[in-house]
Amino acid sequence: MPFSLAKRWHLRQPSVIPGFGLALGVTVSWLTLIILIPLSGLAWRSSALGWSTFWSLALDPRTLNALKISFGTAFLAALANVVFGVLLAWVLVRYRFSGRRVIDAMVDLPFALPTAVAGIALTTLYAPNGWIGQYLEPLGLKVAYSPTGIVIALIFVGLPFVVRTVQPVMEEIDREVEEAAATLGASRFQTVSRVLLPGLAPAVLTGFALAFARGVGEYGSVIFIAGNLPYVSEIAPLLIVIRLEEFNYPAATAIAAVMLILSFAMLFLINSIQAWSRRRYVYGS
């Protein structure tokens, strides 16, 4: 048998690291128990509705508007977190100043703070009679009880995902790369845009995906500041809760299934772009 054919039929190369079979089996079993079985239950309940009933529930104007608000505000918040999260990570990594560790610790506060507490605090600040809202109200800027308030709440809960994803990658970038670019005549803008940012692109996309996914499913911090007005500031997770309280389980199932499909499609697209950018731009490749 030719060597190439024998190599083709050799399914797995022996590894120096033991326990591959056991680790893979435990991993697949755990993912099946925690993720696949609950999602399969949702898919099974959705399929039991029938196509006509499912689409009539999914295409309800109130449902479509809630999905539009949830995904639109999550996308805008994730974009804002990419810009300011990368800037914050840059400041924490590149500069040494008093209070840096305090700021670094503050980044993780949204992780630890209950989302309901965050929602109440933001509503207190941005309500028309709040500390900040009382100055915005005369200018015609309404933050609380509007989609703008939802974006601010999602920025609050999503910022750590971007910072903590980009920061370790940024710390590994050797300063000699920047010095070499400067030696070769690159300006500061060219060094950042053509040398540093392409290498950070996979981490930035990962942070964006995490912040976006967190924002789409966020509930606790949003319901207080959103106002929950149908067709204005009602998010899809809240509409699911409303349908459940009305004992309208088919409608809740249909909304959840649509959210699952849209979220999976968008995250798959983002991860594909991330994998492409990693192969093209990552340092050392």
Side-chain angles (χ1 to χ4, degrees):
M1 181 180 294
F3 176 75
S4 59
L5 185 60
K7 185 177 181 181
R8 185 184 306 171
W9 284 100
H10 200 96
L11 298 180
R12 186 169 63 85
Q13 295 293 332
S15 174
V16 296
I17 303 176
F20 170 76
L22 177 61
L24 180 62
V26 171
T27 301
V28 173
S29 301
W30 184 252
L31 289 177
T32 301
L33 179 65
I34 298 299
I35 297 178
L36 292 182
I37 290 179
L39 296 184
S40 299
L42 177 60
W44 178 77
R45 289 298 300 267
S46 301
S47 62
L49 297 176
W51 282 109
S52 59
T53 304
F54 176 82
W55 286 115
S56 64
L57 294 171
L59 298 179
D60 178 74
R62 185 174 176 182
T63 300
L64 291 178
N65 196 80
L67 291 171
K68 177 183 175 182
I69 292 174
S70 288
F71 282 87
T73 53
F75 185 79
L76 293 176
L79 283 180
N81 277 327
V82 164
V83 175
F84 295 102
V86 171
L87 179 61
L88 178 55
W90 176 268
V91 171
L92 292 175
V93 171
R94 291 302 187 190
Y95 303 110
R96 296 293 180 269
F97 54 93
S98 58
R100 187 178 67 89
R101 293 187 180 277
V102 176
I103 296 177
D104 195 17
M106 288 174 60
V107 172
D108 294 328
L109 283 179
F111 281 144
L113 194 67
T115 54
V117 176
I120 294 172
L122 292 173
T123 305
T124 303
L125 287 176
Y126 291 101
N129 59 348
W131 293 351
I132 299 177
Q134 62 179 331
Y135 299 107
L136 299 178
E137 187 74 9
L139 302 176
L141 301 176
K142 184 178 181 180
V143 176
Y145 317 126
S146 71
T148 305
I150 300 175
V151 174
I152 290 178
L154 297 183
I155 290 174
F156 177 85
V157 299
L159 180 64
F161 292 95
V162 177
V163 176
R164 294 310 184 208
T165 305
V166 174
Q167 190 176 1
V169 180
M170 198 174 286
E171 288 174 346
E172 294 180 356
I173 299 178
D174 197 338
R175 289 179 180 270
E176 293 181 356
V177 175
E178 305 170 35
E179 295 172 357
T183 304
L184 294 174
S187 63
R188 291 184 176 180
F189 177 78
Q190 290 173 325
T191 302
V192 173
S193 61
R194 297 187 180 183
V195 178
L196 298 179
L197 288 182
L200 292 174
V204 172
L205 285 172
T206 300
F208 174 84
L210 293 174
F212 174 75
R214 181 73 171 83
V216 168
E218 178 58 25
Y219 177 80
S221 65
V222 173
I223 57 173
F224 294 99
I225 196 172
N228 310 319
L229 301 175
Y231 302 98
V232 177
S233 58
E234 186 180 53
I235 58 175
L238 175 64
L239 186 57
I240 293 175
V241 174
I242 292 175
R243 296 308 187 203
L244 291 175
E245 291 176 347
E246 296 171 348
F247 302 103
N248 190 352
Y249 299 124
T253 303
I255 300 170
V258 172
M259 287 192 68
L260 176 63
I261 295 170
L262 292 177
S263 300
F264 180 79
M266 297 193 70
L267 292 176
F268 181 79
L269 176 62
I270 294 171
N271 287 335
S272 299
I273 299 174
Q274 176 201 13
W276 173 81
S277 62
R278 179 181 290 115
R279 289 193 300 270
R280 182 175 176 83
Y281 295 116
V282 72
Y283 292 103
S285 63

